[in-house]
Amino acid sequence: MRKVIIVDYNEQWPGLFAAESSLLQITLGKVISRIHHIGSTSVPGLAAKPVIDIMLEVVGLSELDNCHSAMEQAGYTARGENGIPNRRYFIKGGNQRSHHVHAFTVGDMQIVKHLAFRDYLIKNKKAADEYVEIKRAAALASENDIHRYSALKAAFIENHLRLAQACT
């Protein structure tokens, strides 16, 4: 069973993202248009689950789908859309997750949302601090149920995503 644990910010997270970005670029080549560090590990100083979230902007989902064996060789397990239409989701590390890859076609609105929320938290320390409190409380209340953990954070994310998008 996976445990939902929030840890203090780790100065190594940007380097772990950079190393994995290089591996993904080698693995997927021209299928990738851009690579972004997203999620809480991308926000300096923010406590997070110690999993590096990576978002790929890809030229096409079918082109990415043709690379499943290459992703497996790089240590990833494909999870399909995993609840978000027009996404491809990959995990690395099994129950001890180290990385998540979220892939969308260039121009998908999910890309805009993820980047807006990340940038908003980077610029708004008060909101980031409030988010940490919510995440820590959600981790405790969820009893290691990742879906419950996500549900407990949803209202904060929806509200602040609206604010973030209003600022862009």
Side-chain angles (χ1 to χ4, degrees):
M1 172 195 284
R2 285 177 50 208
K3 294 189 185 266
V4 179
I5 298 171
I6 304 299
V7 301
D8 289 339
Y9 182 77
N10 185 331
E11 297 286 341
Q12 294 181 0
W13 288 340
L16 293 170
F17 163 74
E20 202 67 15
S21 292
S22 295
L23 173 64
L24 289 166
Q25 192 65 63
I26 291 166
T27 301
L28 299 174
K30 293 182 180 182
V31 171
I32 297 173
S33 174
R34 294 183 70 194
I35 302 176
H36 306 277
H37 190 182
I38 61 168
S40 294
T41 62
S42 70
V43 180
L46 192 67
K49 290 188 304 344
V51 178
I52 307 300
D53 280 294
I54 299 169
M55 185 172 59
L56 304 179
E57 291 186 53
V58 297
V59 296
L61 294 178
S62 59
E63 290 87 341
L64 179 59
D65 290 342
N66 291 333
C67 297
H68 278 200
S69 63
M71 286 294 282
E72 286 176 8
Q73 289 176 359
Y76 284 92
T77 301
R79 291 287 179 93
E81 289 185 332
N82 203 53
I84 299 178
N86 300 313
R87 171 178 78 162
R88 295 300 182 268
Y89 179 62
F90 299 86
I91 61 170
K92 189 173 194 175
N95 283 337
Q96 301 297 317
R97 300 263 171 93
S98 60
H99 299 80
H100 294 157
V101 170
H102 313 260
F104 299 95
T105 303
V106 173
D108 191 290
M109 278 306 299
Q110 288 291 336
I111 296 166
V112 174
K113 288 179 179 181
H114 281 286
L115 296 178
F117 188 66
R118 178 200 65 192
D119 294 348
Y120 175 83
L121 290 176
I122 289 171
K123 293 175 187 170
N124 294 279
K125 180 160 176 33
K126 183 177 176 185
D129 290 345
E130 182 182 348
Y131 190 39
V132 168
E133 290 177 26
I134 288 169
K135 289 171 15 146
R136 290 190 193 278
L140 287 173
S142 71
E143 298 177 346
N144 294 318
D145 178 337
I146 194 68
H147 298 290
R148 186 168 180 214
Y149 169 76
S150 294
L152 291 168
K153 300 183 314 170
F156 176 91
I157 293 170
E158 289 172 20
N159 180 47
H160 287 274
L161 179 57
R162 274 192 301 277
L163 295 172
Q165 289 178 304
C167 295
T168 58

